[in-house]
Amino acid sequence: LVLHHLLVEARASEGAEERLEMDLEKAHGVAGRPLARARRVGYRGALDPFLFPARRALLSGVAGVVTHSEWGCREIRRDLPGIPVHRVPLTVADPMPVDREQLRRRLGAAARDIVLMHMGFLTAEKGLFPVLEAVAVVRRAGVPIRLAVVGEGRARGELERAAAALGIGDAMIGTGWVDEREIASLPAAADLAGALRNPSAGETSAAVLRFLAAGTPVAVTARRQFLELPTGAAHRITPGPAATAELVEVFRGLGSVAGGDRRRVARATYEREHRPADVAERWLEILNEEFSESGGP
């Protein structure tokens, strides 16, 4: 739901600095032009795109908008009243039945290990450092938790150094990039997934959906679109200083009998509205509705 990056890159490629000022003023009123002028002299804030998402600049002339979340629908309707808005959930492939124990052996996890997993491109914004701190705390308390990191990225080296400094380097499992088949099935090996994106642009996490499809509950940032996930499948973690303490409580409870219930709720969340055939049907409904109203085929 943040189009600021797209707008800035498009105008920069055109050398259209004056047009960028006009677009940001169109999107955000009197604050828009000073924001663009600040960029011109090299001053920009890390949160600028999230505070000034620039939706009106790029979407004002469209026939309609499709977004994945109810939060997204509300944001579009607020910024662009009168433009048709439709919600279509994101979909991922169904991993089908998998051998969970075999997958855990593939990771080198022992039968007693509790496996926490992160999947995707590794960046500091994904909340991995509070996760490491929480893992260190619960391991000192005797909880046999391990962190499986599936993927690569610019934060890989920092993550490994932080784990070593916390004394939990041996608790990490790194797979690097995996192939498409493993992306669908490997999430089933985890007892819990982490997806703590902050700041968030309101983007839907395909990784979260892959975990839910595999019946694996998730820990998510308690903001925006993530609040639409059922609490039975998603632990809500407050972004900021409280995150580590909240994660510790979640990790300490992973060995409880409620784990099986959460796995069932996670899978049911996927089955309810994220299967490819159901999402395709929703797209057809919207296209038929729009064509019908416009008099098209």
Side-chain angles (χ1 to χ4, degrees), residues 28-272:
H28 296 291
V30 294
R33 280 188 180 269
L35 184 67
R37 290 169 183 165
R39 287 192 63 89
R40 186 181 297 181
V41 297
Y43 181 81
R44 65 199 67 173
L47 293 179
D48 283 357
F50 305 94
L51 298 174
F52 301 94
R55 289 186 281 263
R56 278 194 294 268
L58 291 174
L59 298 180
S60 294
V62 301
V65 175
V66 175
T67 183
H68 291 149
S69 64
E70 293 292 348
W71 177 81
C73 289
R74 291 194 298 271
E75 290 290 294
I76 296 296
R77 289 179 182 127
R78 184 192 66 187
D79 280 3
L80 299 153
I83 288 180
V85 182
H86 304 277
R87 176 178 176 267
V88 178
L90 185 63
T91 186
V92 296
D94 190 336
M96 307 302 287
V98 296
D99 187 336
R100 187 166 182 259
E101 296 309 315
Q102 182 183 41
L103 291 170
R104 289 171 64 86
R105 289 193 295 272
R106 147 87 167 84
L107 293 174
R112 67 187 293 268
D113 286 342
I114 294 172
V115 177
L116 172 68
M117 186 179 289
H118 176 276
M119 176 179 283
F121 195 67
L122 304 180
T123 67
E125 294 82 10
K126 298 287 184 69
L128 283 164
F129 295 100
V131 167
L132 280 182
E133 293 170 353
V135 167
V137 170
V138 296
R139 281 184 67 87
R140 286 196 293 269
V143 178
I145 190 168
R146 302 190 70 186
L147 173 62
V149 178
V150 181
E152 293 287 352
R154 66 177 184 268
R156 180 59 178 262
E158 295 175 58
L159 196 65
E160 291 175 346
R161 289 189 291 272
L166 290 166
I168 58 169
D170 60 341
M172 285 189 61
I173 302 167
T175 69
W177 294 119
V178 297
D179 64 29
E180 185 176 349
R181 178 181 54 81
E182 286 187 295
I183 286 175
S185 61
L186 202 54
D191 297 287
L192 179 73
L196 306 179
R197 182 67 183 241
N198 189 50
S200 168
E203 65 275 68
T204 307
S205 171
V208 165
L209 295 184
R210 292 189 189 281
F211 285 110
L212 297 178
T216 300
V218 294
V220 298
T221 304
R223 295 191 67 205
R224 295 180 170 176
Q225 75 285 359
F226 291 120
L227 295 175
E228 295 172 25
L229 293 171
T231 55
H235 298 273
R236 297 174 179 179
I237 305 300
T238 306
T244 298
E246 292 181 11
L247 286 166
V248 167
E249 290 303 306
V250 171
F251 295 168
R252 290 176 64 181
L254 285 178
S256 70
V257 294
D261 291 338
R262 285 189 175 274
R263 295 193 75 86
R264 285 188 287 274
V265 175
R267 175 63 189 184
T269 301
Y270 169 77
E271 291 179 344
R272 185 171 62 249

Side-chain angles (χ1 to χ4, degrees), residues 15-23 33 40:
E17 293 179 339
E18 179 61 29
R19 188 174 176 191
L20 177 61
E21 289 188 21
M22 294 170 60
D23 284 337
R33 280 188 180 269
R40 186 181 297 181

